[in-house]
Amino acid sequence: MPSLGWSRRHRVERDEARRRYVRGRPMKTKAAILRAPQQDWEVVELELDPPKANEVLIRFVAAGLCHSDEHLRTGDMPGRYPIIGGHEGAGVIEEVGPGVTRVQKGDHVVCSFIPSCGRCRFCSTGQQNLCDLGATILEGKMPDGTFRFHLDGEELGGLCMLGTFSQWSVVSEYSCVPVASDLPLEKAVLVGCGVPTGWGSAVYAAGVRPGETVVIYGIGGIGINAVQGARHAGAKNIVAVDPLANKREKAEELGATHSAAGAEEAQQLVTDLTLGVGADNAIVTVGVVKEEVVTAAFNAIRKGGTVTVTGLGNLMENTIHLNGAMLTLFQKRVQGTLFGSANPIYDIGKMLDLYRAGDIKLDELITKTYRLDQINEGYQDLLDGRNIRGVIVHEH
């Protein structure tokens, strides 16, 4: 890909980092970390160990600014602090450790925030998104229980065993999905999390079928792709719900047939569109899931309809409280989904095939790109509703 304006100094630093790695010594990398909840991101220099068995050294080219990392900052999703952020990443494999078979040096890859071992009960039954290796993603431990990043003698993990807010990282080969080298990695990065999670929430988890009515609550990096998924599945009515006009407009640009600023307006739309029957599916993709939005989604669906909850809330709070009689008598269903119930090894490539064919839009999702040292600006833009998706483009 183009040099993205790299200076001669950046190239010298990159080449020196590579030489130090080849000699088997820890290398330096700049990364954005959180020292504790409720603090800003801080860009620091870390030491990075070489890869061990079944691990690879990756030079990240791009990292997506996903709301899940904001949950880490607020403490809604507590991790092991200090921690390196970033779980949506794409880059180039620079070296491989012993036993690596999935990728080789020079491969362009998109990382999955859920590793896929291919052997556990869930991988072997077609549920790679629930792989047992995902047990330590909030701590950032490698599958062998150790860490590769160090700061002043302290061990640090990378979120989801990745830490894509670092220029360089050592990750498990089970987190890597090779992609074609001609794809722009600063666009392809989005299929590591937001695109398959949203698209799969509609197509796989909700099982949207042609002619159905779908209401989607929250049009951010996940919700906009639920819109794309519902459109791809052939939904007749797609109602996008978001208080911000720019997000409603983007949803209609990418496939929503209607939009609403709030749940009450959406309820009336659904009632009118279905002649009082109700929506077939409601998908909750708001940035922070609260009881009110799940209740609104539950009320919007028809008898036998489904609410799919994709967004996250505080892990220590109960955010679903529904009328059990209505659940039973109307045979409604409420379910959660992780990674849109997609299989990373297969579906990351599938999303890129759909992108090439024009059936999934990626370029249109990126509102703005940032340097690593602009990460706090990027997340403020996310919180202020300016971005559908922001992307960090790393300098090397």
Side-chain angles (χ1 to χ4, degrees):
M1 64 179 292
S3 66
L4 300 173
W6 293 347
S7 67
R8 182 175 181 276
R9 177 178 60 82
H10 287 135
R11 293 190 182 96
V12 170
E13 288 177 351
R14 179 193 63 188
D15 292 342
E16 174 59 23
R18 285 173 172 166
R19 283 193 294 271
R20 280 182 289 173
Y21 167 73
V22 170
R23 291 196 296 266
R25 295 199 291 259
M27 62 181 290
K28 302 290 187 182
T29 181
K30 290 182 181 177
I33 69 169
L34 287 172
R35 292 188 183 271
Q38 300 297 328
Q39 294 188 9
D40 286 342
W41 294 97
E42 181 183 349
V43 177
V44 298
E45 187 174 72
L46 303 175
E47 281 199 344
L48 176 62
D49 293 336
K52 296 183 179 180
N54 301 113
E55 297 173 1
V56 300
L57 173 71
I58 184 170
R59 171 172 54 85
F60 279 121
V61 171
L65 298 179
C66 184
H67 202 116
S68 295
D69 296 275
E70 174 63 14
H71 286 298
L72 191 69
R73 191 193 67 81
T74 62
D76 284 347
M77 186 176 69
R80 176 187 180 276
Y81 302 93
I83 189 169
I84 302 148
H87 66 282
E88 195 174 68
V92 180
I93 302 300
E94 296 289 351
E95 295 293 342
V96 301
V100 171
T101 58
R102 286 196 183 178
V103 293
Q104 59 186 356
K105 183 177 179 179
D107 279 354
H108 288 212
V109 301
V110 170
C111 290
S112 168
F113 77 90
I114 297 290
S116 302
C117 72
R119 298 187 299 271
C120 70
R121 171 180 177 172
F122 300 97
C123 284
S124 63
T125 55
Q127 295 176 293
Q128 292 175 4
N129 63 312
L130 300 178
C131 177
D132 284 343
L133 288 184
T136 62
I137 60 175
L138 293 183
E139 297 176 281
K141 286 182 180 179
M142 301 301 287
D144 68 358
T146 61
F147 299 92
R148 301 293 170 269
F149 289 99
H150 308 276
L151 176 63
D152 299 328
E154 185 174 9
E155 295 181 322
L156 280 74
L159 182 62
C160 295
M161 292 166 48
L162 296 175
T164 67
F165 293 165
S166 177
Q167 297 169 306
W168 303 77
S169 186
V170 167
V171 304
S172 170
E173 66 170 319
Y174 304 128
S175 299
C176 297
V177 180
V179 301
S181 60
D182 65 323
L183 286 165
L185 291 176
E186 68 273 18
K187 308 292 177 58
V189 64
L190 301 183
V191 304
C193 174
V195 174
T197 297
W199 192 92
S201 292
V203 178
Y204 295 149
V208 175
R209 292 180 289 187
E212 290 191 336
T213 294
V214 183
V215 55
I216 299 164
Y217 297 84
I219 307 300
I222 306 298
I224 193 65
N225 291 299
V227 169
Q228 293 205 79
R231 183 206 70 227
H232 187 91
K236 178 183 179 181
N237 301 307
I238 303 170
V239 180
V241 187
D242 200 285
L244 297 176
N246 63 315
K247 294 192 174 185
R248 297 196 300 273
E249 290 167 5
K250 180 60 73 171
E252 292 184 1
E253 175 188 330
L254 295 187
T257 58
H258 304 78
S259 63
E264 186 175 343
E265 182 184 350
Q267 179 71 63
Q268 187 60 54
L269 263 173
V270 168
T271 299
D272 294 343
L273 289 167
T274 64
L275 302 178
V277 173
D280 300 284
N281 286 284
I283 303 173
V284 179
T285 55
V286 294
V288 181
V289 174
K290 298 287 187 181
E291 181 176 329
E292 293 77 13
V293 68
V294 180
T295 299
F298 184 78
N299 292 337
I301 59 173
R302 61 167 170 79
K303 292 184 287 185
T306 301
V307 174
T308 299
V309 181
T310 308
L312 292 170
N314 189 309
L315 288 180
M316 306 307 293
E317 294 179 4
N318 291 331
T319 52
I320 298 177
H321 181 207
L322 301 170
N323 186 299
M326 298 292 284
L327 184 74
T328 299
L329 295 174
F330 284 2
Q331 199 172 299
K332 296 186 178 186
R333 184 172 63 193
V334 179
Q335 64 176 354
T337 182
L338 178 66
F339 200 69
S341 301
N343 286 315
I345 299 300
Y346 172 72
D347 283 298
I348 284 176
K350 177 178 178 177
M351 297 298 105
L352 292 172
D353 288 343
L354 291 171
Y355 169 59
R356 285 190 188 275
D359 294 321
I360 281 180
K361 306 297 183 184
L362 297 183
D363 303 50
E364 293 82 353
L365 302 180
I366 300 173
T367 312
K368 188 175 179 180
T369 60
Y370 304 86
R371 299 187 310 273
L372 181 61
D373 61 9
Q374 295 176 305
I375 185 169
N376 288 304
E377 174 189 338
Y379 270 106
Q380 192 58 54
D381 286 346
L382 181 150
L383 294 173
D384 292 341
R386 296 190 183 98
N387 289 350
I388 294 294
R389 189 57 121 211
V391 172
I392 289 175
V393 177
H394 283 291
E395 296 176 325
H396 288 275

